[in-house]
Amino acid sequence: MSVAGGLLIPVLPLFAARMTDSYVLIGVALAAQALGTLVADVPAGRLLRRLGHRRIMVLGIGLVGVSTAALALIGSVVALVLLQLLAGVGGAMWNVSRHAYMADMTRRGRRGRAISLFGGTNRVGRFVGPAVGGVIAGVFGLRAPFLIFGVLAMVALFFSWRYVEEGESGGMIGPRPSLRRVLAAQRQVFLNAGAAQLMAQAMRAGRQVLIPLYGAEVLGLAVEAVGLIVSVAAFVDLALVLPAGWVMDRFGRKYAIVPSFFVQGVGMALVSFAGGFTGLLIAASLIGLGNGLGSGTMMTLGADLAPEGAVGEFLGAWRLIGDSGASSGPLLVGVVADLLGLTLAPLVVAAVGGLAALTFATRVPETLRRT
């Protein structure tokens, strides 16, 4: 699934740009999947208790695969938005189920390394996928990667159905804890850690829109060059997966989280000063360095904070906050680009990342408990 998603990183912004000249509409189209996920996060967490990890994963992957493959057949931005919304609903089921699965299957003292490695699988996809997606789009057209996505999703569906086992939070029988009580009991956590995650995920999502658009529309780079830049940045990102997990388990979660988003903010600011392929490659690589140091950090922090007996409900709300940031990132880029121009948008996103790092440093407690 990570490889499939990586195929679309350099393609989807350009595909949306072929259908409209408005950066706001492009931002809406690119945020639609995150918005669909946003709506479905909490229901998916509640549904997890009844159906279990495996059924939710399979349903989620199936919906994402079919909705994304259908993009190859559309011709309007409205259809793009609707199909991306459906893919987002499936994505919520997929994300919450695997997050709860990892929380169930890991111990706190090794959780950072385990989830960081898990996050590394996503980075492998972002390393391999964009360059391949750029080549496929360049040779066969912008619609071809969507069909490849559908095929890969069906492969992932088979593996999930065949090999995923049930954990403690999946398929539970008995009364469900009140979501209102869970939210009330964890109110301070959501106010501080949730707000920081909201800003952090907004920056992460914003970079996936900004780098392809900046490269193509400001610097005039071809889709193959944009795909290469994204893949090189993903390689740098991937190199930090093991160190990120080690830092989280050895020193504490915040020792990885705070530097991660600070470095990403600096790299994002440098995008505004990129004058060509090399400059954008350097800025994107620095962003990849920071993002790699944050491999699995938000999932690890959420798993640490989740209360026993309400893991699915808590993680549904936790992912709702993170996905709110993911959905607001492209919208933020679109609005700022329309108002101030595409060259200034990276500076605004960089400021959001810096504020996220500051909030994590000053308002969020360390969750690594030593025994």
Side-chain angles (χ1 to χ4, degrees):
M1 290 296 285
S2 67
V3 171
L7 295 175
L8 305 187
I9 291 176
V11 173
L12 194 56
L14 306 183
F15 184 70
R18 293 281 180 89
M19 299 182 180
T20 177
D21 295 328
S22 170
Y23 288 123
V24 171
L25 287 178
I26 293 174
V28 170
L30 298 179
Q33 182 169 351
L35 289 171
T37 302
L38 190 72
V39 172
D41 273 330
V42 172
R46 302 285 281 177
L47 197 59
L48 179 69
R49 175 177 291 267
R50 294 302 184 192
L51 296 184
H53 297 105
R54 185 170 62 175
R55 287 191 181 95
I56 295 296
M57 282 188 191
V58 168
L59 289 172
I61 293 172
L63 185 55
V64 173
V66 172
S67 300
T68 304
L71 293 176
L73 306 176
I74 67 169
S76 72
V77 71
V78 174
L80 172 60
V81 170
L82 292 177
L83 287 172
Q84 285 289 86
L85 285 170
L86 286 176
V89 173
M93 300 168 73
W94 163 241
N95 290 333
V96 170
S97 60
R98 63 180 180 160
H99 195 172
Y101 184 73
M102 290 298 294
D104 285 346
M105 298 298 179
T106 56
R107 292 187 296 170
R108 188 181 294 265
R110 296 184 177 181
R111 183 173 290 158
R113 282 166 287 180
I115 295 184
S116 178
L117 284 171
F118 178 75
T121 64
N122 293 324
R123 285 155 172 79
V124 169
R126 293 194 192 105
F127 168 57
V128 175
V132 175
V135 171
I136 291 173
V139 175
F140 298 103
L142 290 176
R143 298 176 184 271
F146 301 125
L147 297 176
I148 304 299
F149 184 107
V151 173
L152 293 175
M154 294 306 104
V155 176
L157 187 152
F158 167 76
F159 277 99
S160 295
W161 178 258
R162 178 67 179 82
Y163 294 109
V164 169
E165 302 173 0
E166 289 301 339
E168 294 178 1
S169 64
M172 296 175 64
I173 299 174
R176 295 182 297 180
S178 168
L179 182 61
R180 182 177 297 178
R181 289 185 179 181
V182 173
L183 295 177
Q186 303 295 323
R187 179 175 57 185
Q188 202 62 34
V189 170
F190 287 126
L191 285 175
N192 295 325
Q197 188 198 188
L198 180 74
M199 293 181 286
Q201 301 292 27
M203 180 179 66
R204 279 177 157 173
R207 86 184 195 279
Q208 295 182 3
V209 178
L210 267 172
I211 291 175
L213 284 178
Y214 195 93
E217 301 208 2
V218 176
L219 302 181
L221 301 177
V223 63
E224 293 89 344
V226 173
L228 179 60
I229 288 173
V230 175
S231 283
V232 170
F235 177 78
V236 176
D237 192 330
L238 183 62
L240 270 291
V241 167
L242 288 175
W246 181 80
V247 167
M248 281 194 284
D249 285 341
R250 178 65 178 83
F251 299 103
R253 315 310 194 201
K254 291 171 65 173
Y255 285 85
I257 292 172
V258 175
S260 167
F261 295 112
F262 176 77
V263 171
Q264 287 183 74
V266 173
M268 184 60 67
L270 290 179
V271 171
S272 288
F273 301 96
F277 176 87
T278 302
L280 187 60
L281 178 64
I282 292 172
S285 298
L286 186 59
I287 295 170
L289 181 71
N291 198 55
L293 188 56
S295 175
T297 52
M298 295 299 96
M299 291 184 69
T300 302
L301 185 62
D304 287 350
L305 294 170
E308 292 186 11
V311 173
E313 288 78 7
F314 179 90
L315 292 181
W318 178 254
R319 297 201 68 95
L320 171 65
I321 294 171
D323 292 333
S324 297
S327 63
S328 65
L331 293 174
L332 174 66
V333 170
V335 171
V336 174
D338 271 349
L339 293 177
L340 303 178
L342 198 55
T343 56
L344 294 180
L347 296 177
V348 176
V349 177
V352 172
L355 186 57
L358 180 63
T359 306
F360 276 121
T362 59
R363 303 292 297 174
V364 179
E366 177 57 56
T367 60
L368 177 63
R369 301 171 187 169
R370 303 189 182 279
T371 59

